[in-house]
Amino acid sequence: MFISNAFAQAAPAAAGSTESSLLSMLPLVLMFVVLYFVMIRPQMKRQKEHKAMIDAIAKGDEVVTSGGLLGKISKVGESYLTLEVADGVELQLQRGAVVQVLPKGTIKS
């Protein structure tokens, strides 16, 4: 009789432990979901916008580089651009170095 009572008492405890383990993982899952929507998703959106901006660069665009140089694009290659920063002064740089495309007429020659 004593053994049958022990089995009867052990069964509900096992069922309760699975529920408690699921509840203990719930905050971890919620933290990951919040992290995704607060940090990861906006960063991916910025990367897509930057890639679209770099792909749309054309000759004559006025840009700002990551080093802070302002200039006008004089030649466009597949992975490199030629940037005219002054009359007769041209620099070659990678497409990824462009941070911002300025409106036309921003840079006064």
Side-chain angles (χ1 to χ4, degrees), residues 45-96:
K45 184 179 176 184
R46 269 183 252 133
Q47 285 177 340
K48 283 182 185 179
E49 289 172 355
H50 187 258
K51 184 174 177 1
M53 178 193 65
I54 287 176
D55 290 341
I57 289 176
K59 182 179 176 181
D61 286 346
E62 297 176 356
V63 297
V64 178
T65 67
S66 59
L69 293 172
L70 289 113
K72 187 180 281 189
I73 305 277
S74 60
K75 294 179 192 169
V76 178
E78 193 160 318
S79 59
Y80 292 99
L81 304 169
T82 303
L83 186 70
E84 183 179 352
V85 292
D87 292 331
V89 179
E90 292 185 343
L91 303 171
Q92 191 172 17
L93 55 111
Q94 290 181 333
R95 281 180 166 257

